[in-house]
């Protein structure tokens, strides 16, 4: 949105998950080969029975888990296959859940979709075009300290969301954990970047959805602008609990 609507001089996108950055790099640099691989998956999957789809899904998942993103060189054929596997699994697994276990293995189960859109060529072409002006890097939020000239920068921080209850423990979209200590560490970085003059935005879950007395983020970001925004929650193991829920958006400027 920012790149399409504002005159940006430099754009940086980083994530601690090497798998996600690998997909972005492939879309950015080798889109044609990626589209061909996804077209092959789409054509094959469309004519399978549900039982065959299930077997095929777990076959791809097994192949994916036997390898690690760190061993891939940029722009290699193996990199294209890896990115295609990730997109395929994301589009065909249960609820599009991108989740890893402690061994670093993708463990989301098979999703029973009638017509999953494994290949969305139009969208990928648009994303590729936008990514041409973006520097991509696998890194955690601490690398933000390396950037100069924060007085002319806008920084959006999107950490793993804080669980809304003791049983909602989905923070493992990568092998690293991200609990309350990491949330507090990120808040300190927010203060540092604010002092350097950056415009800042951070999103997270709103603890008050479940407990009105939970002021974790209100206390952590006291003095900043905290907006509560209604949004659709599409991933929940209980279908009846999907729907509208508040999230918080924290900025160091008035909205």
């Amino acid at each position: 949105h920012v790149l399409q609507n504002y005159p940006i001089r430099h754009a940086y996108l980083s994530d601690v998950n090497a798998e996600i950055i690998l997909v972005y790099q492939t879309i950015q640099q080798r889109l044609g080969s990626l589209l061909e691989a996804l077209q092959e998956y789409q054509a094959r999957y469309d004519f399978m029975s549900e039982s065959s789809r299930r077997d095929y899904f777990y076959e791809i998942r097994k192949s994916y888990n036997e390898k690690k993103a760190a061993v891939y060189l940029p722009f290699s054929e193996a990199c294209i296959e890896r990115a295609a596997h990730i997109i395929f699994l994301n589009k065909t697994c249960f609820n599009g859940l991108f989740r890893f276990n402690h061994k670093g293995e993708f463990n989301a189960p098979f999703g029973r979709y009638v017509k999953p859109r494994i290949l969305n060529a139009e969208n990928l072409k648009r994303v590729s075009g936008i990514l041409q002006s973006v520097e991509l890097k696998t890194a955690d939020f601490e690398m933000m300290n390396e950037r100069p000239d924060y007085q002319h920068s806008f920084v959006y921080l999107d950490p793993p969301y804080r669980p809304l209850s003791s049983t909602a423990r989905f923070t493992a979209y990568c092998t690293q954990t991200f609990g309350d200590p990491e949330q507090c560490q990120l808040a300190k970085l927010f203060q540092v970047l604010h002092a350097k003059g950056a415009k800042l935005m951070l999103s997270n879950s709103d603890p008050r959805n479940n407990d009105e007395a939970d002021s974790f983020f209100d206390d952590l970001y006291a003095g900043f602008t905290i907006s509560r925004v209604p949004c659709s929650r599409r991933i929940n193991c209980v279908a009846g609990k999907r729907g509208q829920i508040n999230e918080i958006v924290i900025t160091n400027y008035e909205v």
Side-chain angles (χ1 to χ4, degrees), residues 1 4 11 24 37 40 47 49 51 55 67 72 86 123 133 137 149 172 174 183-184 188 191 205 223 228 245-246:
H1 173 82
Q4 292 178 88
Y24 287 163
E40 184 176 335
F47 291 96
S49 64
S51 61
D55 292 342
K67 304 166 187 175
Y72 290 88
I86 294 171
N123 180 64
S133 59
K137 186 175 183 179
D149 194 22
C174 60
Q183 298 284 3
C184 293
K188 290 179 181 178
Q191 293 274 6
S205 60
R228 286 178 161 82
I245 194 171
N246 279 347

Side-chain angles (χ1 to χ4, degrees), residues 6 19 35 46 55-56 81 99 106 117 148 169 171 179 188 205 212 214 217 222 239 242 254:
Y6 298 92
E19 305 285 353
L35 292 178
D46 284 347
D55 292 342
Y56 188 54
E81 179 186 51
R99 185 184 67 189
F106 182 83
R117 195 171 185 182
R169 286 293 168 191
T171 58
K188 290 179 181 178
S205 60
E212 282 290 338
D214 192 336
F217 288 119
R242 299 171 196 159
E254 292 295 327

Side-chain angles (χ1 to χ4, degrees), residues 45-221:
Y45 203 77
D46 284 347
F47 291 96
M48 287 182 174
S49 64
E50 183 175 316
S51 61
S52 295
R53 286 181 171 186
R54 179 185 296 273
D55 292 342
Y56 188 54
F57 172 85
Y58 286 111
E59 176 187 329
I60 295 295
R61 196 181 79 169
K62 181 176 183 294
S63 176
Y64 172 79
N65 283 332
E66 288 174 348
K67 304 166 187 175
K68 301 298 179 186
V71 305
Y72 290 88
L73 296 174
F75 321 130
S76 68
E77 293 303 315
C79 183
I80 296 166
E81 179 186 51
R82 184 75 171 180
H85 278 179
I86 294 171
I87 294 174
F88 170 83
L89 291 171
N90 177 250
K91 298 299 183 182
T92 57
C93 74
F94 178 74
N95 274 345
L97 189 63
F98 197 77
R99 185 184 67 189
F100 292 85
N101 61 22
H102 293 298
K103 296 180 181 179
E105 298 172 333
F106 182 83
N107 66 350
F110 171 70
R112 300 175 61 183
Y113 301 114
V114 178
K115 294 182 178 180
R117 195 171 185 182
I118 299 166
L119 171 63
N120 187 341
E122 180 182 350
N123 180 64
L124 288 175
K125 288 176 182 177
R126 292 180 64 193
V127 173
S128 181
I130 294 169
L131 287 178
Q132 296 308 307
S133 59
V134 177
E135 179 181 326
L136 299 164
K137 186 175 183 179
T138 301
D140 66 11
F141 61 85
E142 291 293 351
M143 61 82 65
M144 295 303 302
N145 280 320
E146 303 171 7
R147 297 295 181 194
D149 194 22
Y150 276 109
Q151 290 187 338
H152 301 96
S153 296
F154 170 73
V155 180
Y156 171 55
L157 300 161
D158 183 27
Y161 279 17
R162 186 174 186 249
L164 292 177
S165 68
S166 59
T167 57
R169 286 293 168 191
F170 179 65
T171 58
Y173 94 111
C174 60
T175 55
Q176 294 89 340
T177 59
F178 203 95
D180 284 357
E182 288 75 23
Q183 298 284 3
C184 293
Q185 191 177 354
L186 180 60
K188 290 179 181 178
L189 176 68
F190 196 95
Q191 293 274 6
V192 169
L193 298 183
H194 170 67
K196 291 183 177 181
K199 289 288 191 299
L200 303 170
M201 175 182 286
L202 181 145
S203 56
N204 218 306
S205 60
D206 183 4
R208 292 185 176 178
N209 283 300
N210 285 24
D211 182 0
E212 282 290 338
D214 192 336
S215 60
F216 180 80
F217 288 119
D218 295 83
D219 296 338
L220 202 57
Y221 291 93

